Amino acid sequence: MTTIQAARPAGKLADGHEQPATVFQPIHFLYTYLHEAIRHELALLSQSLQLLLAGTSTGWPELRRRYIFLRDVYKYHSAAEDEVIYPALELEVANVTPSYSVEHEDEEHLLEEMVDLLLATEQSPTKENLLAVRQLSWRIQTTVTKHLAKEEAQLLPLLLTHIPPREQGGLVAQFLCCIPISTVARVLAWVKPHAAPADRAAIREALAGAVDDPLLCSLLLGWLEADEADGAGSDGLARPGSPSSPGSSGDDEAAAAARSEALRFDELQRLLGEVASCARRRCSRSGIASADLVASADALAAAMAGHMEAEERGVLPALERLCPRPEQRALLWAMVRAMPLRLLERFHNALRKELAELEATIATCQQRLETAAELADTTEVMQRLAARFQFLRGIYRAHSLSEDEVVFPALEGKKVLRNVSHAYTLDHEQEEMQFQTCSECLDRVMATGTLDSRRQRLAELACYYSGVRGSLETHIRAEELELWPLFAEHFPVAEQEHLVGLIIGRTGADVLTSLLSWVRGAMTREEEDAMMLSIRSAASSTAFDAARRYHDPKKGVLGCRHYRRAAQLVAPCCDRAYVCRFCHDEATDHVLDRYAVCEMVCMECSLRQPVAGSCSGCGTCMSRYYCKVCHLFDDDPGKAIYHCPFCNFCRQGKGPGIDSFHCMSCNACMSLELFNKHVCKEQSLKRDCPVCSDMLFESKHPVK
């Protein structure tokens, strides 16, 4: 039971000073008592589920009914916040609530998913369903409790400061009005045990002053006074009306059609709000409002279709006639090119992929443990799991620091965006604690001495990690829906590039290289190019691009003036990277031994690694042709190359018997046209060409 100090009159303190009167704050009903009831119910549901999974209970239908009750109460709570409480708070303190509305959608989806999964498990209690229920339960508990804690840390103090007690009572009353009249009593009975008797009396007093309808006020006060048994409700709760989610549109001032569409969007938004309000109140006008909404949506669709058809008839032919193809490509690129700070969103895509793959790795470990004969058989797969988890934690920590120290301060620096990022900073703090819990659990898994104990500990880790994944996915989705549009609206491209420069400028070389390689794994080629363009633009005044040399700068073809390739050779003689041996020889006073090369640097992701035909980090193919003897890379699509084992060089051509042959007497590769037609001379090519002075034996061109 939670106790909040109830109202008390003014009086004298022992030292003779006036004791100020305290006024009970009714908003505690929602942000203290209701929150406590939700947390308590989640804990009870988790305990009940453990009993079911252990086979000591058969109450699957009852568990599902309780989840239905929690789902519906949470929807009432979310609807009241999204449509009543958050708008009231935004009038006083801007930008603090949008992320919470996004989280409501994800949390309601998780609860809906659990209800469906419990029904499937009740009908078919397979091992897969039981495991899915357990993990989803942890995900719901982690995600919802994190959301409630954030509201209490950020929103509750603001509500207490900016919303007067009488207005708070009105907000509580509107929340209760969101609940169908037939179920209010059950919800209040469920919440009441978490409030002290004195606080219940204060709530009744606050509602009495805030509810104008005498009948409704009498009912609410009666339910609050009734001494009903505590506990969850049944599955008879009616579904609340869905909160409205009005769309928005831009206003093209140059076109009457676009202005008309903007007005139609405004009308659609108004009707959406009216339908949602009628649904909550079960108003008799619901049918008329719904019909008006459908008619408005149809009219908007027809107007937009007509607008686009008019553009296709008038604007498109003019563009085709007046704009050459290069200008058309430039226009298209200007329309679709990514903002520099979308680099963070690409990180999100890679993070989603990594989260899913780590969960799959945990499942693989569980399967290996089921079939292992002894603990040593699981060592390798467990080490891979530990390494993957530490990698995920490290990159997420780097991402969070970049946001907390660079991105969020930039947002808060815009006057109109004050307070917009605080909820995400709280997310980072709680997510770090969740990662720490997982890390400690993983340590226990690795320290176990028997197969049975390792199986048990790994099952615990799977549940903890499921909660982490759900929490992170909700967080990054909220950032994409709320924050990225703000960058497009309030930050010019140059300012975004400056922020990207700050982010990569404070990132270590090894970390940056690993991040770029990792993010590429979740991208298309076009997205990779856009990302590297953003980074190069942000670092245009630095030497960052030195690692990306070009064979053809205008076309973005990597390499040097000698070769097209995506690899640099690390010269063992001076431990520096050069695109090719000729570049090395031109820049130094010694010659590179091509056969001694054992390392290369990928020009796409800058990863230094053993020399090979493709990058071990980002997977980029270094060139069309690669010789592992000479360490020659050449990506020229019009050039044929082969390695001659007798010259021990790579030669230009299609190879012996096709367009060349190796004369053993001359010890040289020659054009096939000279076969049986040339005069053999011992080591005839061990001399310089009289025309160009190149040593004939090492010439890159075939001997004619």
Side-chain angles (χ1 to χ4, degrees), residues 401-412:
L401 284 174
S402 295
E403 289 189 327
D404 291 341
E405 298 179 5
V406 178
V407 178
F408 293 168
L411 285 168
E412 297 294 327

Side-chain angles (χ1 to χ4, degrees), residues 76-130:
Y76 305 147
H77 169 64
S78 299
E81 287 189 320
D82 292 341
E83 299 185 11
V84 178
I85 298 171
Y86 291 172
L89 183 57
E90 285 289 325
L91 292 175
E92 304 295 332
V93 186
N95 303 321
V96 295
T97 62
S99 65
Y100 293 96
S101 295
V102 177
E103 291 174 8
H104 285 163
E105 297 174 11
D106 288 347
E107 290 149 4
E108 291 171 15
H109 173 75
L110 288 174
L111 288 165
E112 197 73 56
E113 184 181 351
M114 175 59 91
V115 171
D116 294 340
L117 182 57
L118 285 172
L119 178 60
T121 304
E122 181 183 339
Q123 296 171 346
S124 177
T126 63
K127 183 177 180 180
E128 291 76 13
N129 281 346
L130 294 174

Side-chain angles (χ1 to χ4, degrees), residues 554-577:
K554 293 183 179 179
K555 295 182 179 179
V557 178
L558 295 173
C560 62
R561 66 187 183 90
H562 308 102
Y563 295 104
R564 290 176 55 152
R565 56 174 61 172
Q568 292 180 304
L569 305 178
V570 177
C573 45
C574 45
D575 197 35
R576 294 187 62 184

Side-chain angles (χ1 to χ4, degrees), residues 646-668:
F646 307 106
C647 295
N648 202 26
F649 284 158
C650 286
R651 298 290 194 186
Q652 188 168 338
K654 297 180 180 179
I658 302 175
D659 63 355
S660 65
F661 74 101
H662 187 92
C663 177
M664 298 301 173
S665 298
C666 297
N667 190 24

Side-chain angles (χ1 to χ4, degrees), residues 214-283:
L215 178 59
L216 178 60
C217 184
S218 176
L219 286 172
L220 293 177
L221 296 181
W223 287 323
L224 283 168
E225 290 171 358
D227 189 17
E228 298 182 14
D230 299 337
S234 69
D235 60 353
L237 293 178
R239 298 284 293 276
S242 300
S244 60
S245 301
S248 61
S249 69
D251 183 13
D252 184 356
E253 298 178 356
R259 287 196 298 270
S260 174
E261 289 162 14
L263 293 175
R264 291 181 185 276
F265 268 113
D266 291 340
E267 175 67 8
L268 191 64
Q269 176 176 338
R270 183 189 67 77
L271 289 170
L272 279 167
E274 183 178 349
V275 168
S277 178
C278 288
R280 286 198 310 274
R281 300 194 310 271
R282 296 189 174 182
C283 176

Side-chain angles (χ1 to χ4, degrees), residues 490-512:
H490 297 282
F491 288 78
V493 170
E495 196 169 346
Q496 292 184 38
E497 289 178 347
H498 173 68
L499 293 177
V500 171
L502 291 177
I503 292 171
I504 63 177
R506 61 186 297 281
T507 305
D510 292 341
V511 174
L512 182 60

Side-chain angles (χ1 to χ4, degrees), residues 33-110:
Y33 311 136
L34 182 61
H35 280 196
E36 282 297 321
I38 292 172
R39 273 192 283 258
H40 182 67
E41 185 67 15
L42 285 169
L44 291 177
L45 288 169
S46 179
Q47 293 173 12
S48 299
L49 180 59
Q50 296 306 315
L51 293 175
L52 286 169
L53 293 173
T56 58
S57 174
T58 58
W60 288 104
E62 174 61 22
L63 182 67
R64 182 168 179 268
R65 282 195 292 271
R66 289 171 61 188
Y67 264 109
I68 289 174
F69 173 80
L70 179 63
R71 175 201 66 188
D72 290 344
V73 170
Y74 202 78
K75 284 188 176 182
Y76 305 147
H77 169 64
S78 299
E81 287 189 320
D82 292 341
E83 299 185 11
V84 178
I85 298 171
Y86 291 172
L89 183 57
E90 285 289 325
L91 292 175
E92 304 295 332
V93 186
N95 303 321
V96 295
T97 62
S99 65
Y100 293 96
S101 295
V102 177
E103 291 174 8
H104 285 163
E105 297 174 11
D106 288 347
E107 290 149 4
E108 291 171 15
H109 173 75
L110 288 174

